[in-house]
Every structure is written in structure tokens, then in C-alpha cells.
Amino acid sequence: MSVEYPPFIYPEEIKPLILETDDILFSDGTRVTPEDIWHFMTVTGPKRFPFAFSTNPAFGHQLSRDVTLISGIRRNYLGMTGIDRLRKFVRNGTPLILIQGGITSDIYQAAGCISVGPMFLRGWIMSSQEGRAYKNANLTGASILEEARQNLTFECCNLIANVALLKTHDLPIAGIAPCLCSRCSDMAYAVEAYRSESDKIPTVLIDYPTNHEDAIWRTEYLKQGLHSLVNQLEKITGNEVTDDDLREEIIIQNTARSLVRECEQIWWSGKVPPTNSIDGGFAHLGMMGAFDFPVANQVLKETRDELHSRVKDGVKGYGLVDDPARLFICGSCVMPNPNFVDTKGGVLVGSDDVWSSICMDIKESGDPYENLATAYASLPYERSTEERAKWTIEQVKASRSDGVVFMYNWGCNYQSAIAGMITDIIKEDTGLPAITIEVGELTRMESLEQSHNRIESFIEMLR
Amino acid sequence: MTLSTLEKIRNAVKQRPGILESEKNNGKIVVGWFGYFIPEEIIHALGMIPVRLGRGGDERLVELGARYISSQNCAFIRASMGMFADDSDPYLRNADVVAFDNACMQIFRLGEVSKYYFKKKTLFIGVPRNPYSIASQTYFRNEFENFTRNLELLAHKKLDPLDLADSVDLFQNIRDVTKEIVQSLLVSNFPLSWKEVTEVIHAGYYLDKRNYLSLLQELLREIESSTKSTAQKPQEIRIILSGSVVAPGDHKIVDLIEQMKGTIVRDDLWSGLNPSLQMHIEHPSVSSIADAYLSRIPHYTLPCIEKDDDFRFEHLKSTVLETRAQGVIYHTIRYCDSATFKTTGLKNRLRNVGIPMLEIHTEYSDSDVEAIRTRVEAFFEILKMQNESGVRA
């Protein structure tokens, strides 16, 4: 028996609230009016990306139904139109650089490039055909994933497998420059597998020294790697990158990181959670900047102001139960389905991986390479496991979490290796329940029942 | 025919745990190690006893280890973690400190997790992913210097240059004799199988190094006096074994190959011959040792990102030519990403130069033995047909 889920539609009543907002002015001079945003989210978007408006409960990337959180709708607009901006970058000759790891976009943007993650590769292929409904999008995505795996190995995690698509598709990637060994052991070998058979796309290796002793040579090594990265990016763009370029970009992205931190502190300070779990996921905007950081900063300021006002007024996020179980998520690149968590009486209060990069502040004056290397070397997520656990405990306490979920995707052997250790340390220190959950759903849209069951049981236990 | 020196080596290994324990009781410090970039010369020169750790082939240890580390980690890592939990391995039990390098990121995790749960004193060495840059060389020298300082603290003494020179000579001699013994595998009436040669190499993990060298030299003399012909055996299937670690105790693949009348003429393994190859320490100094370790054939856990610098592939290709091997069996342990991810590319590249390759993806369970036997048998049939027609794939 199949169940039809009606598509989500923004109610007409909120249109005036949208229209009260400011225009968005992109760095290339493109101006988007609130009317444009409303039209996209109610007319163009549903036609081009029907799956994004699906209300299928299994769908982990549903739009939030909190329609009065206007900054949330504007963030959704930025997310959904990201592919259009990327197409424009490609048309205009702006190089797209494939990255991975905890290092931020500062260098890539300063060099006049746009950094994209491995998920982009599949997204680009899928976006070649618009109008996909939920089932179709899911099947197409699964089929592309399978193709990628066959070209690499079935033991690769769902995200990194996408790198294999570079061998079989003409993708607009001008350079591959991931930060190896930070958080992920798969990316290095996926890039190697590509490189062993093709030299079409230049490859840059940035090594992240994982021996965690507090050593000056570790930072120096990272600094040399960043110099090498910039040299390679200069070759790709044909333009010199000055220290001032780097410093300027660091200032812009520090603002983004600082705004996300402000938002998170306001969110955590609320007696009740001011948004649901979907709308609480604003950290990504500070990390990837919707490919245009000044715009991201504008929308993050709007988010901050709205959160502030909600916390002041004691507004609870739409769809949350009273006193929901507060879950802090750690682990690899996968998260529980936020809508499902809310429905079952929980709420996501934070996650460690993107938050780790957001917590990093890069010194703005002086040698930018030194400053970037020092900041990257101190990333909490990349510290020794015992140190990382200590930092996680601080976040768990600051977010007043009721429980911790260490989640990792099948195939992620670097993060999964420490799942038990981190949760044991957290349990011992905080006395809070902590669970490890292995899933296979990263980038997938269906067959998520097993992980849903485990999350639901954990929430029931906490409540 | 079993060589008498091989029996001597076996007896020495049997007696070694007791001797090691008494040496430890007499104040000697035992440094156990996991990985590929731990400088045994420096450990030895400081008067400590280096012992390479890790076992394969034991499902019970795999299960035990998975209680502490993930079931997503490779069988060798889980088994190694199981060794900590089991606490019956005499070498690990007697280790005062355990050193890990992070060439394999799973081994690095093994170090972190075992340190937390089993409270062993632990040292780490960072290994750069790209060994060819000046920055990498500087970083790695610093890691070795730091490792040495930590060892000196444990030993309560400074590294003496003369002792280091002695140790460097000793280990170079061991590598040289090992290479000569392995080279003899190419002789058709060689009195040892690859499995036995590897048993000898693995004995070197545990035995006193000077005693080990003299045993190796004795074995080489015995081999030289017993081998005459260099002609190839008729109907022989000559194989190179490459891929993931084949640790002591892991006999599954090797037994199958030998049962199917295959002859492993050389390995491309870091648990076999590779640590003895292309290692030239110019001066007996910590920096020179670091440079030498970094300049070896690139370890399979270090990704070759620059295609033109893929010396690992070039090494494998030239080994096939040198040994007149008919094919490569590429053995990958489940979840050994560093070996597994390379499979498709390696197979395609070997095919392009006319070298057939079979991947065997497995772990320590016996449940897939017959399936693997069928695949090996089919591979050998193909190689035989090519042999008869004188054509390579």
C-alpha cells in the first residue's frame, strides 16, 4: 500500500512577512527582491524541485513548517538556489574546487574559487534533470551512488563514494584539494583512486598532521601545506593571491562564524527551544556561506535577530513537544532526521563536526598562513580523541543536552573507531545517556526505519 | 625437507617470551610497536627491546576487539585491539610502552582507543601523507626527534651516537640478509616456501636482533649450500602477493595458494619483504633515519596523489618483471580502505601492462575459504592457459 504525502506549501498569509524583508544583493551584483524569493519558494521551486517540498516522514531534508520564522525561509531559498549560483560560477569561469575535511572556505574564496564538498558531484548530475518527485529523486540518487561504488569500492561511505563519479562523468571541477586525514580516512584513498587513472583534474594534497602532541612543527607543516594549496589555486585561476586577499576573506568568514556562534548561544539560552530541529541547523550557512559569504552574513544576522526575539518572548519552535528531549549529536557527517526527532519528542541542540569549525576563530592580523594553520591545528573535532571528548562534554553541558548520540555512516571507519570511547568518556563525566548508532542513510532518502527506531527508543528513554 | 636453521629459528621464537620476560625483570625496557614507521634502530640503540606487535587469523580476537573499537575497522585492527583485551600475548603483555605511527589511520585509532581502555604507556609518530616535499621531510624529522626524546626519558639516558651507529649497521645487515633469502625464492629448488620465509621474517619481530641476524646468516648459508638450479619448474604458477597486511597467524590466503600449487615468488607486503627494501640510512643520526624511512617504497596507506610519483606501482610492475611472475594476487582485508580503494585502479593499470590480477577480499573467518578457493583455482586456470599459449592477458 502506498501512501501519498501532499507537498508542503507556504501559506499565503505569510507573504506580507516575507515582503517586509530586505533585498539580497549577491557579490556578483545580482539583486533578489523579497517578491522574487516568495515566487521561487511558492511557484518556481515546487516545479523545479518537487522532492524538496515532500512531506514524506522519511525525508531527512524536509522544509520546516515553522512558516513564521522568516529567516528560515530565506535560508531555504539560499539552499535551494545554490545550484543556480554554482552554474553561474561555472559559466563565468570561476573554478569549483572539490574539498573535504574540517578546514574552512577562507583560502578557496580568497583565491577566487568556490569550494564544494563531495555531495556536490552527485547533486550536479541530478540537477541536470529538474522536476523530480521524491521517489524519483531517491531512486536516481541511489542509482548514481551505486555507479560510484562500483567504480571505487562498496566499502566506501556514501558521501566519499561520489568522488568516483569524476571518472565517469564530465563534472565542472577545476581542482581537487581536500584536507587529508582530518576527520575522514576515505577521502584520501578516493582521490588516489581517481588520480591513479586520470590526470584530467589537478590534485592538491593538504596533509593534516594527526599526531596531536602540541608541537610547533605540526603547525609549521600545516602552514607549508596551505602555502602549497594557494600556489596550486593560483595556477588554476591564473591570479595571484596576496596576504591581503586572505586577510580580507578571513574577516568576512570570521564574521559568519561569529554570527553562528551568537545564534547558537541565543538558541541554547532559551528556556524552550526557539526553533525546531530543522531550523536549528544554521551552522552550515556559516561554514559554506551559500557560496557567497556576505549574503550568508546578512541572513545570519536576520536569524540572530529572530532567535533573540523568540527567546525574549519565550516562543517555542513549531512542531516541538513541551520539554523535548535535547539531543547533542556527534560522529561523522550524518545526522538523524530532524523532523523525525521532533515528531518523537526530541530536539537537536547541536552537532560536533560543523560546530567545531564554527568555534574556530582565525586571527585577522599578521601572517594569514600562520593564523590559518594555528586555527586549523586547534580544531576541536580533529584533536586527540580524549581532548575532543572533553570539548564535546563542554558543548553538551552548554547546550543543556539530555542525551548524546554518536552517529556514523556505514563505511566510516575513522570516526566509528572512537564512537564507543567518546560516548564512554561523556557518560562517565556527565552521567548522561549516550548511544552510538551506525546507519547507512547518509545521502539516502528511504529505508531509514532501523535508525529511526533506535532514535525513537533513545528519545523515549530520555523522556 | 626442513632446514635445520629454520627449526632453530622456530625454537628460538618458542623460547623468546620467557627470555623477554626475564630481560624485562632485569630492567630492560620493552617497546612494542604497531605500524610501519617506528625506528627500531633508535629503540635498540637506547638499550631497549623493540618488538613488532599484531596478529592475524584469529576470529576470537577480532570479536573481542570489536567490543572496544568499531566493527567497521579492519580485521587486523580489531584483532590487535582484541590482543589488548585478551592480555595473553606475551609480547604485548611485556611491553612497557607501545608505539604507533599514523601511516594507517586505523592504527592511529587503535593507539588512541587502546591507550584509553587499557592504560598502556603510548607513543605516537605522525607520518606525512606526501613523502616528497621538504616540508614533509622536516615534519617527519621533527616527529622522529620528538619520539627519540620521549624514549630517552623512558630510558633515563641520552642516545649515544656510537650505539646508534652500531644499531643502524645491525638493522641494515638484517635487511640485507633478508633480501638475499627472499631473492633465493626465485630459485626453482629453493628449500623453503614463501610461507616459511615469511615465518622467518616474522621471527624477526620478536627475537633479539643480534641473535636474529646470526640465525639469518646461518640460514642463508644453509640455503646457498642446498640450492643449485635456476630453472623454472614445469607447470608452476608464479604469483606475487600484494595488498593488506598478512600478519603472523594469518595463513588463510597463503595456504590456499599453496594448496592450489601456486608458488608465491615474492611479496609486496609491509608484513613481508617491503620494509627491507630501498632503505638507505646515510648517517647514523635521527634525521638521516627519518629521511631513510620516508624514502622507502611508498607505504600503501599513504595515498599517491601525484600520478607521476607512483613509485609503489612502478615497484610492483618491476617486481613482476624481475620475478617472471604470471599474476598478482591482491589480498585485501575487509574495511582496509587503504588497500581496498586501490583495487579497481590497480587492476586496470596492471591490465594495461599485461599483468593479470585477482583481488581476494576477506577477513579472518573461514566461512569464505571455499569461495576463495574457487576464485584462486579459476585464476590459476587462466594463467595456465596463458602460460601454454605463451600469451599474457
Side-chain angles (χ1 to χ4, degrees), chain A residues 191-212:
Chain A
V191 174
E192 179 187 37
Y194 165 75
R195 187 66 181 180
S196 73
E197 293 192 88
S198 173
D199 52 9
K200 198 173 62 175
I201 305 171
T203 312
V204 187
L205 185 153
I206 318 158
D207 191 5
Y208 192 90
T210 46
N211 187 12
H212 298 287

Side-chain angles (χ1 to χ4, degrees), chain A residues 155 181 186 189 192 195-197 203 207 210-211 213 217 221 385 410-411 413-414 416 424 438, chain B residues 70 72-73 102 106 108-109 112 117 128-129 143 146 301 304-305 312 334-335 337 342 348-349 361:
Chain A
E155 288 183 356
C181 306
D186 281 12
Y189 304 125
E192 179 187 37
R195 187 66 181 180
S196 73
E197 293 192 88
T203 312
D207 191 5
T210 46
N211 187 12
E213 290 201 38
W217 64 85
Y221 177 52
T385 301
W410 191 88
N413 49 34
Y414 194 54
S416 68
D424 280 352
E438 180 180 309
Chain B
S70 167
Q72 291 282 312
N73 290 114
N102 72 354
Q106 294 194 55
F108 175 65
R109 288 302 201 210
E112 287 199 299
Y117 286 112
R129 301 294 111 177
E143 286 291 305
N146 185 53
T301 55
C304 284
I305 300 293
R312 184 169 46 222
R334 195 171 183 210
Y335 299 131
D337 289 354
K342 291 176 180 57
N348 290 340
R349 294 174 75 188
H361 188 58

Side-chain angles (χ1 to χ4, degrees), chain A residues 150-157 160 167 180-193 195-199 203-205 207-213 215 217-218 220-221 224-225 381 383-386 388 408-418 420-422 424-425 428 438, chain B residues 68-74 102-106 108-110 112-117 123-130 133 135-140 142-143 146 149-150 300-308 310 312 333-346 348-349 352 361:
Chain A
Q150 283 178 9
N151 274 294
L152 191 56
T153 163
F154 65 90
E155 288 183 356
C156 187
C157 97
I160 302 301
K167 275 203 300 189
L180 303 186
C181 306
S182 58
R183 68 187 51 205
C184 176
S185 50
D186 281 12
M187 186 64 179
Y189 304 125
V191 174
E192 179 187 37
R195 187 66 181 180
S196 73
E197 293 192 88
S198 173
D199 52 9
T203 312
V204 187
L205 185 153
D207 191 5
Y208 192 90
T210 46
N211 187 12
H212 298 287
E213 290 201 38
W217 64 85
R218 184 171 169 253
E220 183 59 29
Y221 177 52
Q224 294 303 321
Y381 192 88
R383 292 177 193 163
S384 75
T385 301
E386 287 192 58
R388 175 176 159 187
Y408 58 89
N409 202 72
W410 191 88
C412 176
N413 49 34
Y414 194 54
Q415 294 300 324
S416 68
I418 53 169
M421 177 176 163
I422 285 199
D424 280 352
I425 294 173
E428 193 178 335
E438 180 180 309
Chain B
Y68 298 90
I69 206 160
S70 167
S71 56
Q72 291 282 312
N73 290 114
C74 86
N102 72 354
C104 169
M105 290 169 74
Q106 294 194 55
F108 175 65
R109 288 302 201 210
L110 170 71
E112 287 199 299
V113 178
S114 64
K115 179 186 175 193
Y116 175 71
Y117 286 112
L123 296 175
F124 291 99
I125 290 181
V127 181
R129 301 294 111 177
N130 176 2
S133 74
S136 300
Q137 189 185 47
T138 307
Y139 169 75
F140 197 54
N142 277 310
E143 286 291 305
N146 185 53
R149 282 193 295 275
N150 284 323
Y300 72 102
T301 55
L302 306 180
C304 284
I305 300 293
E306 299 295 329
K307 197 176 178 186
D308 294 341
D310 193 349
R312 184 169 46 222
I333 300 179
R334 195 171 183 210
Y335 299 131
C336 173
D337 289 354
S338 46
T340 307
F341 279 49
K342 291 176 180 57
T343 307
T344 306
L346 183 62
N348 290 340
R349 294 174 75 188
N352 290 342
H361 188 58

Side-chain angles (χ1 to χ4, degrees), chain A residues 325-336:
Chain A
R326 298 165 71 95
L327 303 183
F328 191 89
I329 311 300
C330 26
S332 63
C333 316
V334 65
M335 290 280 286

Side-chain angles (χ1 to χ4, degrees), chain B residues 1-2 19 26 68 72 125 127 174 187 195 201 216 285 299 328 338 340 357-358:
Chain B
M1 180 182 76
T2 304
I19 295 169
N26 289 332
Y68 298 90
Q72 291 282 312
I125 290 181
V127 181
I174 289 172
V187 176
K195 185 179 172 183
I201 291 174
L216 281 180
S285 68
H299 189 263
V328 173
S338 46
T340 307
M357 179 188 119
L358 172 71

Side-chain angles (χ1 to χ4, degrees), chain A residues 130-148:
Chain A
E130 295 184 347
R132 291 182 199 278
Y134 182 75
K135 284 269 183 201
N136 183 279
N138 178 46
L139 286 173
T140 308
S143 155
I144 297 171
L145 173 63
E146 189 53 33
E147 178 196 331

